[in-house]
Amino acid sequence: MQGAATGPTPPTSVSLSTNRSSYTAGQHPTVAATVDQDVSGVSEYLVIYDLSMYSQVAACSTGVTCSADATLYSGEPQTFAAYVTASNPWGAWPVPAPLLVSNTVSVTRAGWTSGLTSDKTTFVAGDTVTLTATAMSP
């Protein structure tokens, strides 16, 4: 008697990472979820959610990695998590029937610095003083 045929092995772990935890204007951090087994053929989905905005960032039904550039809507930190779910997750919140839950990662915008200088430190009424304001992204 031959052994029973086995199908694809479902994932048993999921992790989430980001290419940067702090970013400056014009940059977009990438969040990437990774599972230990391919979700192809096991009727499971690898999904990334923005927990701060209660929204889905990416959903993949094939492969071992799912990633997306994150859009941050404020200067406040935003937290992301990845899930493996057996239900079609497209746009769903909360996560439908999570089977696995990843670690969370947070990203935040780096603060700007500003300054104000003058061309004179001492002056009298009627003098002209030039003020220069600067703002710098880190």
Side-chain angles (χ1 to χ4, degrees), residues 5-6 24 36 38 46 49 68 77 84 110 120 124 136-137:
T6 59
T24 59
D36 61 341
D38 193 331
L46 180 54
Y49 281 90
V84 173
K120 297 180 185 177
V124 296
M136 296 176 57
S137 175

Side-chain angles (χ1 to χ4, degrees), residues 45-93:
Y45 303 87
L46 180 54
V47 190
I48 302 171
Y49 281 90
D50 179 337
L51 301 178
S52 302
M53 300 303 292
Y54 307 105
S55 63
Q56 183 177 300
V57 175
C60 302
S61 59
T62 61
V64 294
T65 303
C66 188
S67 65
D69 287 342
T71 300
L72 281 80
Y73 297 99
S74 72
E76 298 298 316
Q78 283 181 238
T79 302
F80 299 85
Y83 300 86
V84 173
T85 179
S87 301
N88 186 332
W90 305 149
W93 181 264

Side-chain angles (χ1 to χ4, degrees), residues 21-25 27 74-77 107-114 135-138:
S21 59
S22 179
Y23 72 99
T24 59
Q27 295 177 327
S74 72
E76 298 298 316
V107 295
T108 188
R109 239 179 244 163
W112 286 67
T113 57
S114 61
M136 296 176 57
S137 175

